[in-house]
Amino acid sequence: MIRFHTILGGSAFALLSTVQIASADITPNDVWQDWRSHMQGMGYLLTATEITSGDTLTISDMQMEPVNQGEQGQVSVSLGSITLEQKSDGSVAVLLPAAMPLSFAVTPKNAGAERVNMMLTLDQSNHEMTVSGTPADMTSIYTAGTVGLVLDQLTVGDDTLDADTLQLSMAMQNVNSRTDSTLGAMRDYAQTATIGSVTYDLKFKNPDEPATAMAQGTSADVTLKTNGVLPLALAQVSDMAGLLRAGMDVVGTITAGNSTTTLNITDPNSGDMAVAAAAENGTLTFETSAEGISYAGTREGMTVSVQSTEFPFPLSFAMENAAFNLSAPVMKSETPQQFALGLNLTDFTMSDMVWGMLNPQGTLPRDPASVALDLTGTATMLADYLDMQNAGQLAGTMEMPAQPESVKLNSLIIDALGARLTGFGAATFENPGPTAQDSGPKPTGAVDFKLVGGNTLLNTLVDSGLLPAQTAMGARMVMAMFAVPGDGDDTLETKIEFTRSGAILANGQRIK
């Protein structure tokens, strides 16, 4: 299933790249030939029926197949008809049908795997697409009042999921997109797009179970900005590692305004459940290149409400801000490369009803809780992580694709229930050679932790009946073993050290 999603994602990426980065010369034939060459450069064979009438070129029965099948087997993508029409100003109008059928078929090489067929319909209204410029410097502009995608049928092996089993649709309103592309040694492009709103609906029912799940979502004021370079020729579009080795470098930002998500599960056996979530502004940035991949995102004003038959009232939660960042190397290298991980959850709160259920005495502080983590380090990649063949081999042998070289805990902050835990530290790793019996990396370094309000929190939990007294006593014994009193009331500190000999020390006392 993972490979199918990779194939489908690669095919969709190639198709969208073709439509949005179309080369525009003087004639419709020049546009079509650029599409064909672009698809062939991405590792696909594009075939179609071509009919020319005057200044109009009609393309029908389009089908894309990878030149190299690879381990996943044969993959084909079929599309409807497109008309390219010469305009008087020298540009080319791309006339797309109001309803365009799309179909994906995957025939695995493995005899035990099942064939997958997916049929969809792309609906458009008040749409217009124009390509202008030259093959070496082109601009593509697309606008539409609505763009929708509907799943018509999904067949896996001999089983067909009909409308009673699976429904999936997505709709976009007020779509505007512009792509500027320049051809040279690579394909340089810059794209901007705005979407007034995006909605989706999903319904799924397991034929063997009575439960039915339905999900709906909306996002307003979506914007997309990307720029980068793509290689002109590649043996296989699903080979992400090959794309990166060939020079692919893409940077993008996606923003969205108010968003909502609802999930309703109807289950006559276990009971119904309803989940509603909402959020304000959000941002996601990404970068993919041979240097590594990186993601960073923020979401503001999040609220979640859960209604279950097990509770007489909805469980409500809120968070003022959530942010994360992740960057990691993906290509094999003889030298260490940097990685980073960050997390920031600010002002998490629960409704009074939830607090009343957990702590009816009202003894626990109900101040908003926050968590922050900032971690960086270096690692040496032992294999191309995004190479599907390497990924399969690593998964089969349970080998790690990288070995750690250093790690630094720049900051750790957990602030909740009246207590505050902070930490920082760093360590380097000694990695054994290929013939060493002990294959695990050995850290050398130290981490410092500080806990304020820990004993007070334990007393409050015991008094509230949320924690047995014996469990609290065990927790205090552990804190006494690993921590020493710090400056200030109810403050504990500890330094955990990792020595080159393999020993672990807590405040100078050996614990391993």
Side-chain angles (χ1 to χ4, degrees):
M1 194 65 179
I2 293 176
R3 290 182 177 178
F4 169 70
H5 283 302
T6 302
I7 297 165
L8 180 59
S11 302
F13 171 77
L15 172 62
L16 291 176
S17 297
T18 300
V19 173
Q20 292 296 323
I21 311 177
S23 176
D25 196 359
I26 300 300
T27 67
N29 185 66
D30 292 328
V31 176
W32 170 237
Q33 293 304 321
D34 182 77
W35 289 5
R36 291 173 64 96
S37 62
H38 179 53
M39 295 309 303
Q40 291 174 357
M42 296 295 289
Y44 274 97
L45 175 64
L46 178 60
T47 60
T49 300
E50 307 172 21
I51 299 177
T52 300
S53 177
D55 292 335
T56 300
L57 173 62
T58 301
I59 312 297
S60 60
D61 302 323
M62 289 185 292
Q63 185 165 328
M64 296 187 300
E65 295 182 355
V67 176
N68 296 326
Q69 296 184 16
E71 294 185 355
Q72 69 272 7
Q74 184 62 36
V75 182
S76 64
V77 182
S78 300
L79 302 88
S81 300
I82 296 177
T83 300
L84 305 177
E85 185 178 87
Q86 182 73 63
K87 298 180 67 175
S88 59
D89 60 0
S91 63
V92 173
V94 181
L95 306 180
L96 303 170
M100 175 183 290
L102 305 174
S103 65
F104 298 85
V106 181
T107 305
K109 270 189 174 181
N110 187 350
E114 295 181 309
R115 177 181 171 89
V116 177
N117 288 280
M118 180 184 295
M119 300 181 64
L120 308 99
T121 299
L122 178 67
D123 296 314
Q124 303 172 89
S125 67
N126 299 324
H127 55 286
E128 181 178 340
M129 181 176 178
T130 303
V131 185
S132 60
T134 68
D137 189 3
M138 63 200 78
T139 298
S140 173
I141 297 178
Y142 174 82
T143 62
T146 61
V147 178
L149 188 66
V150 178
L151 175 64
D152 298 317
Q153 181 176 295
L154 176 63
T155 302
V156 181
D158 297 329
D159 298 326
T160 298
L161 304 180
D162 55 19
D164 294 331
T165 303
L166 177 63
Q167 297 180 21
L168 175 62
S169 63
M170 182 183 69
M172 297 180 289
Q173 305 288 333
N174 299 325
V175 180
N176 295 274
S177 173
R178 175 188 174 113
T179 301
D180 297 300
S181 176
T182 303
L183 289 178
M186 303 276 283
R187 183 184 291 268
D188 297 299
Y189 77 96
Q191 182 181 32
T192 59
T194 61
I195 305 173
S197 65
V198 179
T199 61
Y200 71 86
D201 288 273
L202 170 65
K203 176 184 178 182
F204 177 75
K205 182 183 185 304
N206 189 330
D208 301 326
E209 300 291 339
T212 300
M214 292 182 294
Q216 295 178 324
T218 64
S219 290
D221 301 324
V222 179
T223 65
L224 169 66
K225 295 182 179 180
T226 62
N227 63 81
V229 293
L230 296 173
L232 297 182
L234 187 70
Q236 193 172 353
V237 70
S238 60
D239 181 12
M240 180 59 72
L243 279 167
L244 297 178
R245 283 192 294 266
M248 174 182 174
D249 190 342
V250 178
V251 179
T253 301
I254 303 174
T255 63
N258 294 335
S259 301
T260 63
T261 302
T262 60
L263 173 64
N264 292 277
I265 299 177
T266 303
D267 191 343
N269 292 341
S270 303
D272 300 342
M273 175 179 289
V275 180
E280 298 176 2
N281 299 332
T283 302
L284 174 66
T285 62
F286 58 90
E287 181 173 3
T288 304
S289 71
E291 300 298 322
I293 58 174
S294 64
Y295 296 92
T298 62
R299 201 64 175 169
E300 299 177 356
M302 295 186 297
T303 60
V304 178
S305 177
V306 181
Q307 178 69 68
S308 174
T309 55
E310 298 179 358
F311 301 100
F313 53 85
L315 307 179
S316 300
F317 311 89
M319 186 179 302
E320 186 65 26
N321 181 71
F324 82 95
N325 67 273
L326 170 66
S327 61
V330 294
M331 304 297 292
K332 183 178 180 180
S333 175
E334 300 297 331
T335 58
Q337 302 178 71
Q338 295 183 347
F339 68 85
L341 174 64
L343 182 66
N344 194 346
L345 308 178
T346 305
D347 293 342
F348 173 80
T349 58
M350 300 186 296
S351 66
D352 290 338
M353 288 187 177
V354 176
W355 276 114
M357 180 181 63
L358 297 176
N359 181 224
Q361 301 91 339
T363 54
L364 287 174
R366 300 186 179 185
D367 298 332
S370 298
V371 176
L373 171 67
D374 182 6
L375 185 72
T376 57
T378 58
T380 300
M381 295 298 298
L382 305 177
D384 293 339
Y385 184 70
L386 295 182
D387 189 311
M388 296 306 297
Q389 183 175 357
N390 288 339
Q393 293 176 352
L394 293 171
T397 59
M398 300 300 292
E399 294 182 2
M400 295 296 294
Q403 62 182 21
E405 302 292 346
S406 67
V407 63
K408 184 177 182 181
L409 179 61
N410 300 295
S411 176
L412 170 65
I413 302 174
I414 301 177
D415 198 343
L417 301 175
R420 181 180 177 87
L421 174 67
T422 58
F424 65 92
T428 58
F429 294 86
E430 180 183 352
N431 293 284
T435 60
Q437 294 182 354
D438 185 5
S439 60
K442 295 181 179 180
T444 301
V447 183
D448 292 273
F449 292 102
K450 181 178 181 179
L451 176 63
V452 179
N455 279 303
T456 300
L457 176 58
L458 287 176
N459 293 333
T460 304
L461 292 173
V462 172
D463 294 340
S464 303
L466 298 174
L467 185 68
Q470 292 182 342
T471 303
M473 183 180 297
R476 289 191 176 93
M477 293 177 61
V478 172
M479 290 190 296
M481 291 174 57
F482 293 98
V484 295
D487 297 334
D489 296 334
D490 196 3
T491 300
L492 296 173
E493 297 179 355
T494 184
K495 176 186 287 291
I496 305 298
E497 297 178 84
F498 305 90
T499 68
R500 186 176 298 274
S501 63
I504 301 178
L505 309 178
N507 300 308
Q509 299 296 319
R510 182 165 182 163
I511 59 177
K512 178 184 178 182

